[in-house]
Amino acid sequence: MLRLGTIVMGAADVRRAAEFWGRALGYVPRDGAVDEGWTVLIPAEGQGPALALGRSTSPVQEKPRVHLDLYVEDRAEQQAEVARLTGLGAERVAWELYPDDPDFVVLADPEGNRFCVIDAGHPRTP
């Protein structure tokens, strides 16, 4: 049986990306320090997938085929987390594909990688 072990993202500045994602997710470097070319972050408090950051010179995709969805319990927590993440260096993305009543907010990390903060309590429509 397969299981998700590590999510891998490219970064022009691995140290900057590790600082952002470590603070955003409460992750720490698996090996105790951040390497400039490749670093794996793991949850400081228990289990969960690892996040590997590798140096990359390829451009960030404006509409990536794969991205992270980060879940919160409700709209108030979503707003608080978006504010916290933008305070850490994330930026809101002008996303023309938002539905009329979105349950998500699209952000970009300091490297430009897109991710979403999802309100898991948002009512779903069939």
Side-chain angles (χ1 to χ4, degrees), residues 72-111:
V72 296
E73 295 300 317
D74 56 35
R75 178 106 171 127
E77 189 178 0
Q78 180 187 49
Q79 291 173 340
E81 283 299 320
V82 167
R84 185 179 73 85
L85 293 165
T86 55
L88 293 175
E91 293 186 9
R92 281 184 172 261
V93 173
W95 196 252
E96 72 276 2
L97 302 175
Y98 276 120
D100 289 337
D101 184 24
D103 63 346
F104 64 97
V105 174
V106 181
L107 299 174
D109 72 8
E111 290 284 324

Side-chain angles (χ1 to χ4, degrees), residues 113-126:
N113 296 306
R114 303 319 197 242
F115 65 98
C116 296
V117 179
I118 309 289
D119 169 5
H122 188 277
R124 304 280 185 249
T125 55

